[in-house]
Amino acid sequence: MELKKTALTHIHEQLGAKMVPFAGYSMPVRYTSDMEEHKTVREGVGVFDVSHMGEFMVTGPGAEALLQQVTSNDVSKLVDNQAQYSCLPNDQGGIVDDLIVYRFNAEKYMLVVNASNIEKDWNWIMQFADGREGVNMENISDEISLFAVQGPKAVEVLQKLTDIDLSTIKFYHFIEGSFAGVDEVIISGTGYTGSGGFELYVPNAVAEEVWKKIFEAGKDYGIKPIGLGARDTLRLEMGFCLYGNDIDDTTSPLEARLGWITKFNKEFTNSEKLKEQKEAGITRQLSGFKMVDKGIPRQGYDITDAEGNIIGKVTSGTMSPSLGYGIGMGYIKKEFTAPGTEIFIAVRNRQLRAEVEKAPFYKAQ
Amino acid sequence: MNLPKELKYTKDHEWVRIDGNVATVGITDFAQRELGDIVYVEIETEGDEVEEGEVFGTVEAVKTVSDLFMPLSGTISEVNEALEGEPELVNTDPYGQGWMIKIEVADESAADNLLSADEYAEVIGQ
């Protein structure tokens, strides 16, 4: 299968990025060094091309009711120009995808979904949208580019390109307006790094122009393009879930510590069963841990107790570039999930000592 | 891509410098680029006799882990201790300070089966 390109693929290649297939797209995994790119976002400003992400518009008087049905968080809590992290529960106790819901107004929403799940999500939501009155869905994924400009210096750099006072856009809020000479750019106070900044939704036709202007504006700030490699280490230092690793069709939002976006004051797909699970109590829980012994946890490694009994499995793991030791997450038997509990990670033929720790692992200075 | 002519190579992206019956081994410039930042080199086979093709250690990058394979049968006579504190030497100087092990080679003629720089260049599509 031919890999899809974003509007910026040729630029990444010119920059000498290592390109890898990801969710059907050819995407930059790193330009120079994972460590350096990671550090750039933590201390300065970096730009990710995440145009592979999917966007669906949901419009009409029935839009809110549809979203209340398919998402686990409470859409009625949103005001105009606010966004919300949420998930699409399936009817088997698992998660179809995690996503962000943007409210433009009471009859206009945008859903931002994972690239690898665009078709799955579309078909899933359509089951509930079909035959419903007053709601229209449109998949605009192939028309929109998405840049995440992240880091403590992001606001200062981006402010040079717009008259909108960016300091007024709070976390998980957004404004649609003129940016870098382009009208109707969505400037969103989101990102998945824990270092602040914005995400910009831009029409493909002007994506290259906007990308170049951002780099010009950031030249004196040491701005750099950042690959998916650093994106993964940044999100993992914050303990953020990655669909496909930490959550999937078989993991319950309650097990994944996504109870805070699972609102039982409304009915939604599988809410009855999830409510029962909440009342009965879960038996395993997605938990963060840090390595005490030298070693790096990786997806799929067994987690054991001191006697070597398997008590869980690693879903994400890495060397933390900010902290200098191995960190990870995994589903662990509930009785071993209290912070400070000693656990062991089976790294090749050895049992390496680790300790349960509450995320985020990295705390901004 | 840096591929010194005087070295021999393997399909597993290792380089070998032959000096009498001693072979010095590391990973290639191509390999370190593919792996990214190397944060940990684990070799616990010093003094062991290891067969060609068997694993003698592992190299951990930020994003991935990869086994290291013996290019030639023999006894691992030395491990580069500098990598303990500075694993990034594998990235910055793969053919020099980033070397990994020295092997007392069991059969010197086996080195004839290793790849030349040109042959290895073909393997990695250069």
Side-chain angles (χ1 to χ4, degrees), chain A residues 18 30 33-35 229 232-233 294-296 298 301 318-319 348 350, chain B residues 33-37 39-40 42 44 58 60-65 84:
Chain A
K18 177 176 160 54
R30 89 176 67 90
S33 141
D34 297 320
M35 299 272 238
D232 193 50
T233 53
K294 191 171 176 180
I296 303 171
R298 306 281 181 192
Y301 288 2
T318 187
M319 162 69 86
R348 293 179 282 281
R350 295 185 301 160
Chain B
R33 280 191 208 197
E34 288 292 303
L35 290 168
D37 295 302
V39 291
Y40 189 25
E42 182 182 284
E44 292 174 334
T58 50
E60 297 258 16
V62 174
K63 298 302 305 168
T64 183
V65 56
E84 173 84 11

Side-chain angles (χ1 to χ4, degrees), chain B residues 58-107:
Chain B
T58 50
V59 55
E60 297 258 16
V62 174
K63 298 302 305 168
T64 183
V65 56
S66 181
D67 284 332
L68 297 163
F69 298 96
M70 282 294 269
L72 297 165
S73 298
T75 304
I76 297 177
S77 56
E78 203 179 332
V79 171
N80 185 0
E81 285 171 11
L83 300 183
E84 173 84 11
E86 291 178 273
E88 63 274 17
L89 289 172
V90 178
N91 293 115
T92 55
D93 191 10
Y95 301 113
Q97 295 180 73
W99 68 274
M100 291 177 171
I101 56 166
K102 290 189 197 282
I103 308 171
E104 267 172 38
V105 180
D107 173 12

Side-chain angles (χ1 to χ4, degrees), chain A residues 173-226:
Chain A
H173 285 72
F174 66 98
I175 285 183
E176 205 178 11
S178 177
F179 179 86
V182 176
D183 288 335
E184 293 182 9
V185 170
I186 298 168
I187 307 169
S188 168
T190 50
Y192 221 52
T193 63
S195 277
F198 290 91
E199 292 186 295
L200 306 168
Y201 296 86
V202 182
N204 285 346
V206 289
E208 185 170 345
E209 184 188 328
V210 172
W211 174 273
K212 286 182 172 161
K213 283 186 178 166
I214 294 169
F215 278 86
E216 258 171 54
K219 217 162 65 183
D220 295 340
Y221 298 81
I223 199 167
K224 280 184 190 152
I226 313 294

Side-chain angles (χ1 to χ4, degrees), chain A residues 55-59 122 126 136-141 143:
Chain A
E55 295 87 11
F56 304 155
M57 296 305 299
V58 184
T59 52
W122 178 264
M126 265 305 177
N136 183 51
M137 293 246 305
E138 191 187 356
N139 182 357
I140 58 166
S141 304
E143 297 153 38

Side-chain angles (χ1 to χ4, degrees), chain A residues 331-349:
Chain A
Y331 285 92
I332 305 178
K333 274 190 184 170
K334 190 74 174 73
E335 56 268 36
F336 292 92
T337 56
T341 305
E342 183 181 70
I343 56 170
F344 294 81
I345 310 298
V347 179
R348 293 179 282 281
N349 51 356

